[in-house]
Amino acid sequence: MIEEPRYNLTELLACVAAGLLEDGCSAFVGTGLPIVAGMLAQRTHAPGLLIIFEAGGIGPHVPVLPISVGDSRTYYKASAASSMHDVMSASQAGYVDYGFLGGAAMDCYGNVNTTVIGDWSHPKTRLPGSGGGNDVGSLCWRTIYLMRQQSTRTFVNKLDFVTTPGYLTGPGARERAGLPAGTGPYRVITQLGVYDFNEATKRLHLLVLHPGVTAQQVQEASEFEIFIPDRVAVSPEPTVEQLRILREIDPRGMVIGK
Amino acid sequence: MNDPVEFSGELIGWHDPDENRRWVRENKSRQLADKRTTVAEAIRKYVPDGSLVAVGGFGHIRVPMALIYELVRQRKRDLTVVCNPGVHDIDILIGGGCVSRVDVAYAFGHELRGLSPCGRRAVESGQVKVTGEISNAGYQWRFLAAAMGVPFMPVRSMLGTSIIKHSSARVIEDPWSGKPICLVPACYPDVALFHVHRCDQYGNAQIDGILADDFELARAARRLIITTEEIIDHEDIQRRPWRTVIPFYLVDAVIEVPFGAHPTEMSVAYYFDEEHIAHWLKVSKTPEGTIKYFEEYVFGMPDFESYLEKVGGLRKLTHLKQVMKLQPDSTSSRDGAS
């Protein structure tokens, strides 16, 4: 018997991402899926989640989905509407636990390209560049990546450009480059599952599969080899309550409709 | 330390700090003088072809659109634009043919709204050259260094990435910790353009909502043009001087332009005109559509008031104010989150 799915992929990813955020932590979020996840966490298990936006919004209770990172919704009922210098300095000083980012392509160490496909001087495709992405990935304690389209074109052996640092070339490389000690990518969430990074090798490691996805699909959708443990957990499906809140957050389906 | 890095980014907007101090001494008036003028005159006077231009606000927030459209109207050419980030502003300026070089923290995109057809076409065809890469915080700290009158700022982002190689930053060893540290050079744009909520005739300006990097940029740029929703009395500034984000001696020109950020958002005052932004993103998919847009909305309009009439007038602007206040739609417009 085939039933109409109760939820779509974006809703699942939003719930999985929200689940990673603990109450009482601080998280740098961008527009799109990251803010949806942050808002969902705040309205469910993490009411004390300190949401921070790059343009200066600190501790908002975002009423509806903002369209831009500096949108007035990003400091609605906030503790402060401040500046980029203030929040970026706070993250450089160690106040920001989580950073949420997207990316066009990633390698096995969690390095990310959002700048250019092809040669930098003669780009095949020009992407927007770092924005605040590099700062978030450099300065927050733990970076979480949301990449909706894992494939051999986005999980690649070699990036054309490293915009945001993952573990660079492996263990110790971030610290050797001068990045704040003890920081780096924490989880990667794709349409197939959730990954973490092996403590010893700093390489991508399968942690959780989404419902109905197999380990073989995960490996086939990557140019580099992904370590797959014998036992892998399965993501919980979104609850009715989570879905209700998601539709309240984004009533027009600007993000969750995709 | 790391492997030696070859740096290829062009150094944009740098001055020796003593040279800039001299320039400030000779060129920036300390007089509390009336700086009111017109948009056309301010752009004519302070933005010659070839200038390095920076724009206040953030992405689609508080962008001085009346000034941006005027740059297009006066057919300014060969500008280098700081994209810190650059979103609707840089897209319009590239589409209007004003730009030959961009220094990029973020450009060629419209956040949730997708990538910019016009900006990408220009950079992928070579019409616009990217002088270098940097991050948003990196650029704002370049402005901070300039605002402080110091030659550079040490920062801990960008290290270990390709950005460093394509930027004007350098990596040295911190003399105290011995760890590598990134130095971003001061950046003094020739001119910065702002739209604020209110200021007096001298340029003392108040901004509501987030500042993004406007505090630093206003102190870094050599010339400042400010459009404002409202010109208020100097006494109103004096009553709450702690609200002044930009003090008068930084400012060169003041122009009252209500709704001067349209179609971008004016923090807590009016929301994005999603309908108009979507229209631009649609027509700018082709060079012909881009030209037609400017004929219709810039060259075909005698002034900014006529432009506001054309995009929907009072009815549209009232609606954008209501959307900002989270009031229910009073019109059938398709505008964003309400």
Side-chain angles (χ1 to χ4, degrees), chain A residues 26-39:
Chain A
S26 55
F28 232 110
V29 297
T31 44
L33 203 43
I35 178 57
V36 170
M39 289 167 74

Side-chain angles (χ1 to χ4, degrees), chain A residues 145-174:
Chain A
Y145 283 95
L146 281 158
M147 292 175 68
R148 292 181 54 100
Q149 286 159 342
Q150 183 192 332
S151 73
T152 49
R153 294 198 314 158
T154 59
F155 269 31
V156 296
N157 283 322
K158 189 165 172 21
L159 295 174
D160 290 331
F161 194 99
V162 177
T163 312
T164 303
Y167 290 103
L168 299 174
T169 53
R174 281 179 72 96

Side-chain angles (χ1 to χ4, degrees), chain A residues 4-16:
Chain A
E4 194 72 11
R6 280 191 308 116
Y7 58 89
N8 65 29
L9 175 67
T10 311
E11 288 166 328
L12 173 70
L13 299 185
C15 293
V16 169

Side-chain angles (χ1 to χ4, degrees), chain B residues 105-254:
Chain B
Y106 180 101
F108 323 115
H110 282 255
E111 299 187 73
L112 263 190
R113 303 170 181 92
L115 293 172
S116 144
C118 177
R120 284 182 65 193
R121 193 164 59 235
V123 71
E124 288 168 11
S125 70
Q127 180 204 326
V128 165
K129 183 177 176 283
V130 176
T131 48
E133 307 285 333
I134 193 167
S135 68
N136 278 354
Y139 232 119
Q140 144 233 298
W141 284 324
R142 289 193 68 188
F143 296 147
L144 178 64
M148 291 175 69
V150 296
F152 55 80
M153 187 58 55
V155 310
R156 300 192 77 192
S157 58
M158 297 181 283
L159 289 154
T161 64
S162 316
I163 295 182
I164 292 262
K165 295 174 199 158
H166 294 279
S167 76
S168 51
R170 293 290 182 270
V171 180
I172 64 152
E173 189 183 283
D174 165 12
W176 293 279
S177 71
K179 293 173 179 173
I181 184 86
C182 174
L183 306 183
V184 292
C187 176
Y188 305 86
D190 294 328
V191 59
L193 316 176
F194 288 91
H195 186 62
V196 302
H197 291 79
R198 61 200 80 80
C199 71
D200 65 14
Q201 58 183 317
Y202 311 120
N204 290 302
Q206 298 180 350
I207 294 173
D208 297 343
I210 46 115
L211 290 180
D213 58 1
D214 287 358
F215 186 94
E216 294 80 20
L217 172 59
R219 285 152 179 81
R222 285 186 159 185
R223 296 292 184 190
L224 241 61
I225 305 176
I226 291 189
T227 57
T228 177
E229 288 290 318
E230 182 190 8
I231 291 184
I232 59 173
D233 290 340
H234 183 55
E235 290 69 36
D236 291 331
I237 293 289
Q238 289 176 310
R239 205 166 295 129
R240 292 189 302 161
W242 51 87
R243 285 286 275 111
T244 302
V245 175
I246 303 174
F248 71 95
Y249 55 84
L250 299 169
V251 179
D252 294 286
V254 170

